[in-house]
Amino acid sequence: MNKVKLMSHLVAGFPTDEKALAAARALIAGGADILEIQLPFSDPSADGPAIQTACTEVLNRKYRTADGLKFISTLHKEFPEVPIYLMSYGSLVYTPGVENFCRKAAEAGVKGMIIPDLPFDFDEGLTEACRKNGMINIPVAAPSMSDERLSKLATAGFPFIYAALRAGITGTETTVDSTTLSFLKKVNAGGSKVYGGFGISNGEQSAALADYVEAVVAGSVFVRIITENRDNTEILAAKVTEKAKEITHI
């Protein structure tokens, strides 16, 4: 049995900080190598129904960016060896000032930023602000990009690139086929390590991707498990661990 690296996605504060922390512990127990923590956002461009519903619920509690960073700090203190990437959208980063936001994120223990709506070549200074604060910016590559633009991104020298495996939003099932693998080869062309996600929910998919990515990314599948088992933390944790093991051990 082989182990595939997993970047697992959680929404900060969903359904509560305590249950989100239990889910994070369960993910790590199941083999997650990286935690991608999303700061809830009200008008997402890439999130599917599961994640968008979770974000809306957390925001209805008046959850703020500061609360999300506090949650990340708690996670980092408990698991200092596990890289934490912060995922959100450009306005949350831009409004308080990109460098100011990056400094606070780094202080909380964030190692990398994934901001899908900030293009790699017009990122409002995000890449540089990350560098100054000991983090990395992880730009997003999409199948809708032209070959010319995809090549420009692939050869821009980013240590890591997040490859969205299909166009549209997260959460619906992704078929890993020859078109998917051709896209990943283009993203890999410049030597950046590639994280591949969007609609990953089982071991069959991760096995198909294993030779083409540094890690598979799974999010909506875990958010759905958390949603369905929110009233019993013990069952929630057990099912999250079981799913993480399925995705990572092929």
Side-chain angles (χ1 to χ4, degrees):
M1 183 173 285
N2 296 317
K3 167 74 167 66
V4 177
K5 283 188 179 180
L6 170 64
M7 182 201 299
S8 54
H9 178 112
L10 285 177
V11 175
F14 179 75
T16 65
D17 277 3
E18 293 75 18
K19 289 182 179 182
L21 185 57
R25 291 173 181 142
L27 285 164
I28 292 167
D33 302 274
I34 302 162
L35 295 176
E36 179 191 10
I37 306 299
Q38 177 166 351
L39 296 185
F41 190 69
S42 59
D43 189 25
S45 57
D47 299 332
I51 292 176
Q52 190 168 352
T53 300
C55 285
T56 299
E57 181 178 323
V58 177
L59 288 171
N60 284 341
R61 299 203 323 260
K62 310 299 182 188
Y63 204 82
R64 312 282 295 189
T65 295
D67 299 314
L69 292 176
K70 184 178 178 182
F71 173 75
I72 288 171
S73 179
T74 300
L75 261 183
H76 176 62
K77 286 170 184 172
E78 184 167 344
F79 301 103
E81 74 287 356
V82 177
I84 296 175
Y85 296 157
L86 184 155
M87 182 264 160
S88 197
Y89 291 91
S91 67
L92 278 186
V93 179
Y94 184 80
T95 300
V98 174
E99 190 151 345
N100 179 44
F101 184 96
C102 286
R103 177 178 53 78
K104 289 181 178 179
E107 288 171 354
V110 173
K111 298 300 180 191
M113 303 278 284
I114 302 170
I115 312 296
D117 58 344
L118 284 183
F120 72 94
D121 47 355
F122 294 97
D123 68 4
E124 303 293 348
L126 179 63
T127 299
E128 179 60 18
C130 284
R131 187 190 63 77
K132 285 182 180 178
N133 287 281
M135 301 187 296
I136 52 172
N137 178 29
I138 304 167
V140 177
S144 55
M145 285 180 166
S146 67
D147 283 348
E148 180 183 3
R149 184 160 178 76
L150 195 55
S151 176
K152 186 180 177 185
L153 170 55
T155 57
F158 288 97
F160 298 95
I161 297 172
Y162 184 128
L165 299 177
R166 54 172 170 70
I169 57 175
T170 60
T172 53
E173 196 78 6
T174 294
T175 301
V176 180
D177 56 18
S178 59
T179 303
T180 311
L181 301 182
S182 174
F183 167 64
L184 284 171
K185 287 176 184 176
K186 293 174 185 176
V187 183
N188 271 294
S192 300
K193 293 180 178 180
V194 176
Y195 300 127
F198 262 51
I200 302 303
S201 62
N202 59 60
E204 184 179 348
Q205 292 167 307
S206 58
L209 292 169
D211 291 339
Y212 298 86
V213 299
E214 170 71 9
V216 297
V217 187
S220 293
V221 62
F222 293 117
V223 174
R224 283 194 291 269
I225 291 171
I226 293 165
T227 301
E228 291 163 5
N229 299 281
R230 59 191 298 159
D231 295 331
N232 189 317
T233 304
E234 192 174 323
I235 294 175
L236 181 158
K239 290 195 172 184
V240 166
T241 296
E242 180 183 17
K243 177 57 71 172
K245 284 181 177 177
E246 179 200 334
I247 293 172
T248 57
H249 294 79
I250 59 171

